[in-house]
Amino acid sequence: MKKTATELIMLGTGNATVTKCYNTCFIIKMEETLLLVDAGGGNGILTQLEKAQVQLADIHEMYVTHAHTDHILGAVWVVRMVIQRMLSKRYTGIFNLYSHAKVLQVLDYMLRMMLPKKQIALLGKQVLFHEIADKDVLRIGDMELQCFDILSTKEKQFGFRALLPDGKSLVCLGDEPYNESNRQYVENADWLLCEAFCLYEDREIFKPYEKHHSTALEAGRLAEELNVKNLLLYHTEDSRLDTRKKDYTAEASLNFSGFVVVPDDLEKISLK
């Protein structure tokens, strides 16, 4: 029987301050396993999962890139709701959360300060935190994840290169510009997930460089230089949602000869 193609479900595509879409987070959906990557900045993650028709009971693996509010606060809600389902016998098995030490420390503190004792009791028993280090390799379902420190100057952050079940590669750079020290993880990727804070023509409005971000123009140049096949842009501003696909695709394509994807929230992309 032919295997189902791995699918990317973009739960959110916006940067930290958006109000017209959700913060950047997504699911890599394999035939038998879902990996949730980040969760946005609040309980809006529950709405996005519901709209995407993804059940919390089906999520057993989560990866958090860093401890900024627009990535980690939603993780508090995911863990809380998973625990509630565990206690009411609506969730079977273990929930695994992977990240570096800073993220795990922040999450553990928030959960222990906010949750009731009966929920806290499941931390370390049915909800397991797994600390990862630079260059660690994880096996999650049919996927292999090579973790790497993106060498952020703002906040400790880990991206990853995923080897998908069909042998294709997907690289998540987190939400900051590429660092040349990570070339081995990014070069020749089948899919590159890259932040594009705004268009180059709007750089004076959104000040991406002051915030350690880049534009669609630079993302396209990077993908071409590193021989990437497919470029997916996320973590954008939200003033151009009506024309974002067209505008960002056009700008990235000025430098990039491959396929550009600029997804909307809840869009599903087949990684074939």
Side-chain angles (χ1 to χ4, degrees):
M1 182 179 294
K2 185 178 180 180
K3 285 190 174 183
T4 304
T6 301
E7 185 177 58
L8 190 71
I9 305 173
M10 293 302 305
L11 297 172
T13 56
N15 65 34
T17 60
V18 294
T19 58
K20 300 178 181 67
C21 60
Y22 193 58
N23 310 125
T24 295
C25 53
F26 57 90
I27 285 174
I28 301 176
K29 182 181 180 182
M30 295 162 281
E31 193 168 22
E32 297 180 358
T33 307
L34 303 179
L35 173 65
L36 173 62
V37 180
D38 293 337
N43 73 346
I45 184 62
L46 306 179
T47 301
Q48 297 305 96
L49 289 170
E50 185 175 292
K51 288 180 178 178
Q53 297 182 315
V54 175
Q55 303 298 317
L56 277 168
D58 294 329
I59 301 175
H60 293 269
E61 314 288 342
M62 183 174 186
Y63 186 103
V64 181
T65 58
H66 62 298
H68 280 168
T69 54
D70 57 316
H71 297 262
I72 199 171
L73 292 182
V76 173
W77 280 95
V78 170
V79 174
R80 173 188 170 182
M81 299 308 291
V82 164
I83 289 176
Q84 284 188 8
R85 281 159 174 74
M86 287 175 171
L87 290 172
S88 62
K89 309 301 181 185
R90 291 179 292 150
Y91 187 102
T92 303
I94 300 296
F95 180 83
N96 297 296
L97 191 148
Y98 308 88
S99 196
H100 57 77
K102 167 71 179 295
V103 165
L104 299 185
Q105 180 183 17
V106 171
L107 266 177
D108 185 75
Y109 179 80
M110 288 193 293
L111 291 165
R112 291 183 184 279
M113 292 297 292
M114 292 188 287
L115 297 185
K117 289 182 179 180
K118 65 179 180 180
Q119 294 186 9
I120 293 172
L122 295 190
L123 296 178
K125 294 181 180 178
Q126 285 181 262
V127 175
L128 303 181
F129 286 1
H130 304 272
E131 183 179 341
I132 56 175
D134 187 30
K135 300 180 176 61
D136 276 357
V137 176
L138 308 176
R139 189 78 195 181
I140 298 176
D142 293 334
M143 178 174 61
E144 183 178 278
L145 232 60
Q146 171 80 71
C147 310
F148 61 88
D149 190 333
I150 72 164
L151 302 174
S152 169
T153 58
K154 296 195 305 183
E155 177 72 25
K156 186 81 167 177
Q157 182 170 175
F158 278 15
F160 58 80
R161 182 182 180 109
L163 183 63
L164 303 175
D166 63 357
K168 288 186 171 61
S169 55
L170 177 145
V171 175
C172 169
L173 282 180
D175 70 358
E176 293 190 31
Y178 163 79
N179 188 299
E180 179 61 21
S181 298
N182 289 319
R183 175 177 283 264
Q184 62 178 310
Y185 305 115
V186 186
E187 197 165 26
N188 302 315
D190 291 296
W191 287 88
L192 174 62
L193 277 53
C194 184
E195 60 94 17
F197 199 74
C198 64
L199 296 175
Y200 184 77
E201 65 181 74
D202 291 338
R203 65 194 182 282
E204 294 303 321
I205 300 172
F206 295 105
K207 310 293 183 185
Y209 310 126
E210 294 178 15
K211 300 168 184 175
H212 199 50
H213 290 298
S214 56
T215 69
L217 189 73
E218 285 120 16
R221 184 181 300 126
L222 172 68
E224 186 71 19
E225 176 190 338
L226 295 177
N227 194 37
V228 168
K229 294 181 178 64
N230 302 281
L231 173 64
L232 186 146
L233 301 179
Y234 60 19
H235 202 259
T236 78
E237 47 77 28
D238 63 351
S239 71
R240 287 179 176 260
L241 289 188
D242 290 344
T243 61
R244 181 174 62 174
K245 279 183 181 290
K246 176 175 67 69
D247 295 344
Y248 278 66
T249 298
E251 186 171 283
S253 297
L254 292 174
N255 289 319
F256 180 53
S257 57
F259 183 55
V260 179
V261 179
V262 183
D264 293 321
D265 283 15
L266 303 175
E267 188 166 336
K268 298 179 180 180
I269 300 106
S270 177
L271 301 177
K272 57 184 180 181

